[in-house]
């Protein structure tokens, strides 16, 4: 489970807007949000930098 949807919405971004900022398809963002795709570390870092959060904020499970 990840909190990508939560942080993406806090930033006021749609899946399409986030996907364009990080250079992937909207479908890739959707798959990550639904835990059907494990993104590369490079993509995880790009997403976090875009959203202004840490890897732990989005991808760490308590």
């Amino acid at each position: 489970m990840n909190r990508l949807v939560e942080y993406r919405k806090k930033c006021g971004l749609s899946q399409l807007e986030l996907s364009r900022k990080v250079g992937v398809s909207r479908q890739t963002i959707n798959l990550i949000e639904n835990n059907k795709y494990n993104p590369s570390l490079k993509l995880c870092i790009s997403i976090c930098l875009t959203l202004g959060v840490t890897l732990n904020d989005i991808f760490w499970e308590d």
Side-chain angles (χ1 to χ4, degrees):
M1 182 118 186
N2 65 62
R3 292 179 291 283
L4 180 53
V5 176
E6 174 186 341
Y7 284 100
R8 176 178 57 76
K9 287 183 178 181
K10 279 183 182 179
C11 289
L13 296 173
S14 68
Q15 287 181 343
L16 182 60
E17 291 167 327
L18 178 58
S19 70
R20 287 181 175 163
K21 288 180 181 283
V22 298
V24 297
S25 69
R26 184 204 55 81
Q27 292 84 351
T28 299
I29 299 298
N30 181 270
L31 290 171
I32 296 168
E33 289 182 351
N34 289 294
N35 297 303
K36 295 183 178 181
Y37 176 75
N38 289 321
S40 67
L41 180 57
K42 182 179 177 180
L43 178 53
C44 289
I45 291 169
S46 181
I47 289 169
C48 289
L49 289 173
T50 300
L51 298 178
V53 298
T54 68
L55 289 169
N56 287 344
D57 291 334
I58 294 181
F59 298 105
W60 185 261
E61 288 186 40
D62 292 328

PDB file of all heavy atoms in Angstrom, residues 4 8 14-16 18-20 22 24-34 43 47:
ATOM      1  N   LEU A   4       0.277   7.497  -2.467  1.00  0.00           N
ATOM      2  CA  LEU A   4       0.459   8.381  -3.615  1.00  0.00           C
ATOM      3  C   LEU A   4      -0.811   9.181  -3.911  1.00  0.00           C
ATOM      4  O   LEU A   4      -0.738  10.386  -4.147  1.00  0.00           O
ATOM      5  CB  LEU A   4       0.902   7.589  -4.852  1.00  0.00           C
ATOM      6  CG  LEU A   4       1.129   8.393  -6.126  1.00  0.00           C
ATOM      7  CD1 LEU A   4       2.093   9.555  -5.894  1.00  0.00           C
ATOM      8  CD2 LEU A   4       1.633   7.488  -7.235  1.00  0.00           C
ATOM      9  N   ARG A   8      -0.801  13.185  -3.958  1.00  0.00           N
ATOM     10  CA  ARG A   8      -1.077  13.785  -5.275  1.00  0.00           C
ATOM     11  C   ARG A   8      -2.247  14.751  -5.165  1.00  0.00           C
ATOM     12  O   ARG A   8      -2.199  15.878  -5.668  1.00  0.00           O
ATOM     13  CB  ARG A   8      -1.384  12.688  -6.302  1.00  0.00           C
ATOM     14  CG  ARG A   8      -1.767  13.231  -7.666  1.00  0.00           C
ATOM     15  CD  ARG A   8      -2.012  12.143  -8.680  1.00  0.00           C
ATOM     16  NE  ARG A   8      -3.030  11.183  -8.318  1.00  0.00           N
ATOM     17  CZ  ARG A   8      -4.349  11.408  -8.378  1.00  0.00           C
ATOM     18  NH1 ARG A   8      -4.820  12.578  -8.779  1.00  0.00           N
ATOM     19  NH2 ARG A   8      -5.203  10.452  -8.042  1.00  0.00           N
ATOM     20  N   SER A  14      -3.886  16.043 -10.977  1.00  0.00           N
ATOM     21  CA  SER A  14      -4.564  14.864 -11.508  1.00  0.00           C
ATOM     22  C   SER A  14      -3.501  13.817 -11.834  1.00  0.00           C
ATOM     23  O   SER A  14      -2.295  14.123 -11.856  1.00  0.00           O
ATOM     24  CB  SER A  14      -5.337  15.228 -12.784  1.00  0.00           C
ATOM     25  OG  SER A  14      -4.428  15.553 -13.822  1.00  0.00           O
ATOM     26  N   GLN A  15      -3.939  12.610 -12.104  1.00  0.00           N
ATOM     27  CA  GLN A  15      -2.996  11.574 -12.523  1.00  0.00           C
ATOM     28  C   GLN A  15      -2.263  12.018 -13.788  1.00  0.00           C
ATOM     29  O   GLN A  15      -1.056  11.814 -13.916  1.00  0.00           O
ATOM     30  CB  GLN A  15      -3.717  10.249 -12.783  1.00  0.00           C
ATOM     31  CG  GLN A  15      -4.180   9.547 -11.542  1.00  0.00           C
ATOM     32  CD  GLN A  15      -4.859   8.225 -11.844  1.00  0.00           C
ATOM     33  OE1 GLN A  15      -5.275   7.952 -12.964  1.00  0.00           O
ATOM     34  NE2 GLN A  15      -4.985   7.399 -10.816  1.00  0.00           N
ATOM     35  N   LEU A  16      -2.978  12.618 -14.705  1.00  0.00           N
ATOM     36  CA  LEU A  16      -2.376  13.056 -15.962  1.00  0.00           C
ATOM     37  C   LEU A  16      -1.326  14.144 -15.728  1.00  0.00           C
ATOM     38  O   LEU A  16      -0.235  14.084 -16.285  1.00  0.00           O
ATOM     39  CB  LEU A  16      -3.452  13.557 -16.926  1.00  0.00           C
ATOM     40  CG  LEU A  16      -2.966  13.995 -18.297  1.00  0.00           C
ATOM     41  CD1 LEU A  16      -2.268  12.846 -19.023  1.00  0.00           C
ATOM     42  CD2 LEU A  16      -4.125  14.521 -19.131  1.00  0.00           C
ATOM     43  N   LEU A  18       0.424  14.733 -12.972  1.00  0.00           N
ATOM     44  CA  LEU A  18       1.595  14.144 -12.327  1.00  0.00           C
ATOM     45  C   LEU A  18       2.398  13.320 -13.318  1.00  0.00           C
ATOM     46  O   LEU A  18       3.627  13.410 -13.361  1.00  0.00           O
ATOM     47  CB  LEU A  18       1.180  13.281 -11.129  1.00  0.00           C
ATOM     48  CG  LEU A  18       2.325  12.574 -10.403  1.00  0.00           C
ATOM     49  CD1 LEU A  18       3.358  13.568  -9.884  1.00  0.00           C
ATOM     50  CD2 LEU A  18       1.781  11.702  -9.278  1.00  0.00           C
ATOM     51  N   SER A  19       1.695  12.548 -14.136  1.00  0.00           N
ATOM     52  CA  SER A  19       2.401  11.701 -15.099  1.00  0.00           C
ATOM     53  C   SER A  19       3.236  12.541 -16.064  1.00  0.00           C
ATOM     54  O   SER A  19       4.369  12.176 -16.388  1.00  0.00           O
ATOM     55  CB  SER A  19       1.414  10.820 -15.874  1.00  0.00           C
ATOM     56  OG  SER A  19       0.626  11.584 -16.778  1.00  0.00           O
ATOM     57  N   ARG A  20       2.723  13.664 -16.492  1.00  0.00           N
ATOM     58  CA  ARG A  20       3.469  14.537 -17.407  1.00  0.00           C
ATOM     59  C   ARG A  20       4.689  15.145 -16.726  1.00  0.00           C
ATOM     60  O   ARG A  20       5.733  15.298 -17.342  1.00  0.00           O
ATOM     61  CB  ARG A  20       2.556  15.637 -17.943  1.00  0.00           C
ATOM     62  CG  ARG A  20       1.568  15.112 -18.961  1.00  0.00           C
ATOM     63  CD  ARG A  20       0.679  16.180 -19.511  1.00  0.00           C
ATOM     64  NE  ARG A  20      -0.179  15.640 -20.564  1.00  0.00           N
ATOM     65  CZ  ARG A  20      -1.261  16.234 -21.000  1.00  0.00           C
ATOM     66  NH1 ARG A  20      -1.630  17.399 -20.516  1.00  0.00           N
ATOM     67  NH2 ARG A  20      -1.993  15.669 -21.947  1.00  0.00           N
ATOM     68  N   VAL A  22       6.470  13.792 -14.340  1.00  0.00           N
ATOM     69  CA  VAL A  22       7.522  12.802 -14.068  1.00  0.00           C
ATOM     70  C   VAL A  22       7.893  11.977 -15.296  1.00  0.00           C
ATOM     71  O   VAL A  22       8.779  11.131 -15.222  1.00  0.00           O
ATOM     72  CB  VAL A  22       7.147  11.884 -12.876  1.00  0.00           C
ATOM     73  CG1 VAL A  22       6.987  12.699 -11.607  1.00  0.00           C
ATOM     74  CG2 VAL A  22       5.912  11.055 -13.161  1.00  0.00           C
ATOM     75  N   VAL A  24       5.951   9.804 -17.340  1.00  0.00           N
ATOM     76  CA  VAL A  24       5.375   8.476 -17.564  1.00  0.00           C
ATOM     77  C   VAL A  24       3.929   8.647 -18.028  1.00  0.00           C
ATOM     78  O   VAL A  24       3.413   9.753 -18.070  1.00  0.00           O
ATOM     79  CB  VAL A  24       5.421   7.591 -16.282  1.00  0.00           C
ATOM     80  CG1 VAL A  24       6.859   7.331 -15.859  1.00  0.00           C
ATOM     81  CG2 VAL A  24       4.628   8.209 -15.147  1.00  0.00           C
ATOM     82  N   SER A  25       3.273   7.541 -18.350  1.00  0.00           N
ATOM     83  CA  SER A  25       1.875   7.626 -18.773  1.00  0.00           C
ATOM     84  C   SER A  25       0.954   7.748 -17.556  1.00  0.00           C
ATOM     85  O   SER A  25       1.333   7.407 -16.432  1.00  0.00           O
ATOM     86  CB  SER A  25       1.484   6.381 -19.566  1.00  0.00           C
ATOM     87  OG  SER A  25       1.444   5.251 -18.718  1.00  0.00           O
ATOM     88  N   ARG A  26      -0.242   8.260 -17.795  1.00  0.00           N
ATOM     89  CA  ARG A  26      -1.242   8.343 -16.731  1.00  0.00           C
ATOM     90  C   ARG A  26      -1.554   6.956 -16.191  1.00  0.00           C
ATOM     91  O   ARG A  26      -1.763   6.759 -15.005  1.00  0.00           O
ATOM     92  CB  ARG A  26      -2.525   9.009 -17.249  1.00  0.00           C
ATOM     93  CG  ARG A  26      -3.571   9.205 -16.131  1.00  0.00           C
ATOM     94  CD  ARG A  26      -4.989   9.294 -16.647  1.00  0.00           C
ATOM     95  NE  ARG A  26      -5.393   8.181 -17.470  1.00  0.00           N
ATOM     96  CZ  ARG A  26      -5.813   6.993 -16.985  1.00  0.00           C
ATOM     97  NH1 ARG A  26      -5.852   6.762 -15.705  1.00  0.00           N
ATOM     98  NH2 ARG A  26      -6.171   6.043 -17.809  1.00  0.00           N
ATOM     99  N   GLN A  27      -1.555   5.968 -17.085  1.00  0.00           N
ATOM    100  CA  GLN A  27      -1.839   4.598 -16.673  1.00  0.00           C
ATOM    101  C   GLN A  27      -0.800   4.086 -15.683  1.00  0.00           C
ATOM    102  O   GLN A  27      -1.134   3.337 -14.766  1.00  0.00           O
ATOM    103  CB  GLN A  27      -1.915   3.668 -17.896  1.00  0.00           C
ATOM    104  CG  GLN A  27      -3.109   3.927 -18.784  1.00  0.00           C
ATOM    105  CD  GLN A  27      -2.905   5.057 -19.807  1.00  0.00           C
ATOM    106  OE1 GLN A  27      -1.922   5.796 -19.781  1.00  0.00           O
ATOM    107  NE2 GLN A  27      -3.862   5.208 -20.706  1.00  0.00           N
ATOM    108  N   THR A  28       0.450   4.495 -15.857  1.00  0.00           N
ATOM    109  CA  THR A  28       1.501   4.081 -14.920  1.00  0.00           C
ATOM    110  C   THR A  28       1.217   4.635 -13.529  1.00  0.00           C
ATOM    111  O   THR A  28       1.321   3.909 -12.530  1.00  0.00           O
ATOM    112  CB  THR A  28       2.889   4.549 -15.406  1.00  0.00           C
ATOM    113  OG1 THR A  28       3.154   3.937 -16.666  1.00  0.00           O
ATOM    114  CG2 THR A  28       3.975   4.182 -14.412  1.00  0.00           C
ATOM    115  N   ILE A  29       0.816   5.890 -13.448  1.00  0.00           N
ATOM    116  CA  ILE A  29       0.468   6.482 -12.149  1.00  0.00           C
ATOM    117  C   ILE A  29      -0.708   5.729 -11.537  1.00  0.00           C
ATOM    118  O   ILE A  29      -0.699   5.400 -10.356  1.00  0.00           O
ATOM    119  CB  ILE A  29       0.151   7.988 -12.287  1.00  0.00           C
ATOM    120  CG1 ILE A  29       1.366   8.765 -12.808  1.00  0.00           C
ATOM    121  CG2 ILE A  29      -0.347   8.562 -10.957  1.00  0.00           C
ATOM    122  CD1 ILE A  29       2.596   8.729 -11.931  1.00  0.00           C
ATOM    123  N   ASN A  30      -1.701   5.419 -12.353  1.00  0.00           N
ATOM    124  CA  ASN A  30      -2.859   4.672 -11.873  1.00  0.00           C
ATOM    125  C   ASN A  30      -2.453   3.308 -11.325  1.00  0.00           C
ATOM    126  O   ASN A  30      -2.915   2.902 -10.257  1.00  0.00           O
ATOM    127  CB  ASN A  30      -3.886   4.516 -12.999  1.00  0.00           C
ATOM    128  CG  ASN A  30      -5.118   3.777 -12.545  1.00  0.00           C
ATOM    129  OD1 ASN A  30      -5.187   2.558 -12.626  1.00  0.00           O
ATOM    130  ND2 ASN A  30      -6.090   4.523 -12.059  1.00  0.00           N
ATOM    131  N   LEU A  31      -1.582   2.613 -12.036  1.00  0.00           N
ATOM    132  CA  LEU A  31      -1.133   1.294 -11.585  1.00  0.00           C
ATOM    133  C   LEU A  31      -0.348   1.386 -10.276  1.00  0.00           C
ATOM    134  O   LEU A  31      -0.508   0.542  -9.390  1.00  0.00           O
ATOM    135  CB  LEU A  31      -0.289   0.622 -12.665  1.00  0.00           C
ATOM    136  CG  LEU A  31      -1.036   0.165 -13.914  1.00  0.00           C
ATOM    137  CD1 LEU A  31      -0.051  -0.281 -14.989  1.00  0.00           C
ATOM    138  CD2 LEU A  31      -2.019  -0.952 -13.586  1.00  0.00           C
ATOM    139  N   ILE A  32       0.484   2.411 -10.142  1.00  0.00           N
ATOM    140  CA  ILE A  32       1.229   2.596  -8.890  1.00  0.00           C
ATOM    141  C   ILE A  32       0.253   2.852  -7.746  1.00  0.00           C
ATOM    142  O   ILE A  32       0.370   2.254  -6.670  1.00  0.00           O
ATOM    143  CB  ILE A  32       2.241   3.752  -9.009  1.00  0.00           C
ATOM    144  CG1 ILE A  32       3.311   3.434 -10.043  1.00  0.00           C
ATOM    145  CG2 ILE A  32       2.890   4.045  -7.646  1.00  0.00           C
ATOM    146  CD1 ILE A  32       4.185   4.628 -10.429  1.00  0.00           C
ATOM    147  N   GLU A  33      -0.709   3.725  -7.975  1.00  0.00           N
ATOM    148  CA  GLU A  33      -1.683   4.060  -6.926  1.00  0.00           C
ATOM    149  C   GLU A  33      -2.493   2.842  -6.494  1.00  0.00           C
ATOM    150  O   GLU A  33      -2.899   2.748  -5.337  1.00  0.00           O
ATOM    151  CB  GLU A  33      -2.635   5.159  -7.415  1.00  0.00           C
ATOM    152  CG  GLU A  33      -1.971   6.499  -7.538  1.00  0.00           C
ATOM    153  CD  GLU A  33      -2.894   7.610  -7.976  1.00  0.00           C
ATOM    154  OE1 GLU A  33      -4.059   7.342  -8.357  1.00  0.00           O
ATOM    155  OE2 GLU A  33      -2.455   8.775  -7.936  1.00  0.00           O
ATOM    156  N   ASN A  34      -2.718   1.921  -7.406  1.00  0.00           N
ATOM    157  CA  ASN A  34      -3.505   0.728  -7.102  1.00  0.00           C
ATOM    158  C   ASN A  34      -2.646  -0.495  -6.771  1.00  0.00           C
ATOM    159  O   ASN A  34      -3.153  -1.615  -6.743  1.00  0.00           O
ATOM    160  CB  ASN A  34      -4.448   0.426  -8.268  1.00  0.00           C
ATOM    161  CG  ASN A  34      -5.555   1.452  -8.349  1.00  0.00           C
ATOM    162  OD1 ASN A  34      -6.400   1.532  -7.465  1.00  0.00           O
ATOM    163  ND2 ASN A  34      -5.531   2.276  -9.384  1.00  0.00           N
ATOM    164  N   LEU A  43      11.968   6.513 -10.640  1.00  0.00           N
ATOM    165  CA  LEU A  43      10.611   7.060 -10.765  1.00  0.00           C
ATOM    166  C   LEU A  43      10.064   7.457  -9.395  1.00  0.00           C
ATOM    167  O   LEU A  43       9.443   8.508  -9.255  1.00  0.00           O
ATOM    168  CB  LEU A  43       9.677   6.059 -11.458  1.00  0.00           C
ATOM    169  CG  LEU A  43       8.227   6.491 -11.618  1.00  0.00           C
ATOM    170  CD1 LEU A  43       8.103   7.854 -12.297  1.00  0.00           C
ATOM    171  CD2 LEU A  43       7.447   5.427 -12.376  1.00  0.00           C
ATOM    172  N   ILE A  47       8.807  11.213  -8.481  1.00  0.00           N
ATOM    173  CA  ILE A  47       7.462  11.483  -7.945  1.00  0.00           C
ATOM    174  C   ILE A  47       7.575  12.268  -6.643  1.00  0.00           C
ATOM    175  O   ILE A  47       6.883  13.274  -6.441  1.00  0.00           O
ATOM    176  CB  ILE A  47       6.678  10.170  -7.738  1.00  0.00           C
ATOM    177  CG1 ILE A  47       6.293   9.566  -9.094  1.00  0.00           C
ATOM    178  CG2 ILE A  47       5.434  10.408  -6.872  1.00  0.00           C
ATOM    179  CD1 ILE A  47       5.750   8.145  -9.014  1.00  0.00           C
TER     180      ILE A  47
END
